Amino acid sequence: MRILLLVLLFLSFAYSLGLVLANNTEVGVNLLFSQAPTMNLGLLLILCLILGIIIGMPLALLMFRVLQNKWEISRLQKLNANLQEQVTQANIVIDRQANAPSVEEAVYGTTATNVQDGSVSDVDDGAMLTKQKRDY
C-alpha cells in the first residue's frame, strides 16, 4: 500500500513539474473584488487543482454519506412495512384460531362443563365431566 502511495505521489509531482514547465507564461487573475498578483500559469493550474481536491474530497464524502443514509432509510422502511404486514397476518391467524370452535363445540355443539355431584362417592374429587347434547 505504501509503495502504491509513493508511486502516485511521484507521478503527481512529475505531472505538476511538467505542467509548470510547459505553461511558463505569467498571468494575472481577476477575482472580481480584488486582483491576485501575476504568477506562472502552470503554478496557478496546480493551485487550482489542489484547492479543488481539498474542497472536493470532503464534499464528495459528505454527499456519499447522505446518499448512503437515504438508501439505508429506504431499505429499513421497506423492511418495516414487510414486518408490519407479517404482524397483521399473524394477528389475523391468531384471531381466527381464537374464534374457532373447540373440539367439544365441534363434536357436541356446546362446551363441556364440570358439574359437582355429591352423590357419587367412588370418584376421588367428586367432580364428573358431563357433555351437554344439542337440543334439536
Side-chain angles (χ1 to χ4, degrees), residues 52-80:
I53 290 172
I54 289 173
I55 294 171
M57 290 293 283
L59 288 177
L61 291 174
L62 180 67
M63 290 300 296
F64 179 72
R65 183 164 304 211
V66 167
L67 290 175
Q68 189 177 19
N69 287 342
K70 285 183 180 181
W71 293 332
E72 183 71 13
I73 288 170
S74 173
R75 185 186 68 82
L76 291 175
Q77 285 175 342
K78 288 178 185 177
L79 181 63
N80 189 17

Side-chain angles (χ1 to χ4, degrees), residues 4-77:
L4 180 65
L5 185 63
L6 287 174
V7 168
L8 287 175
L9 186 63
F10 175 75
L11 288 175
S12 65
F13 177 75
Y15 179 74
S16 300
L17 184 63
L19 194 64
V20 168
L21 293 176
N23 297 303
N24 59 4
T25 58
E26 296 287 324
V27 294
V29 179
N30 185 0
L31 300 173
L32 295 179
F33 299 110
S34 66
Q35 183 74 22
T38 59
M39 62 176 63
N40 189 343
L41 180 61
L43 184 60
L44 180 65
L45 289 172
I46 291 172
L47 287 175
C48 289
L49 182 67
I50 289 172
L51 280 175
I53 290 172
I54 289 173
I55 294 171
M57 290 293 283
L59 288 177
L61 291 174
L62 180 67
M63 290 300 296
F64 179 72
R65 183 164 304 211
V66 167
L67 290 175
Q68 189 177 19
N69 287 342
K70 285 183 180 181
W71 293 332
E72 183 71 13
I73 288 170
S74 173
R75 185 186 68 82
L76 291 175
Q77 285 175 342

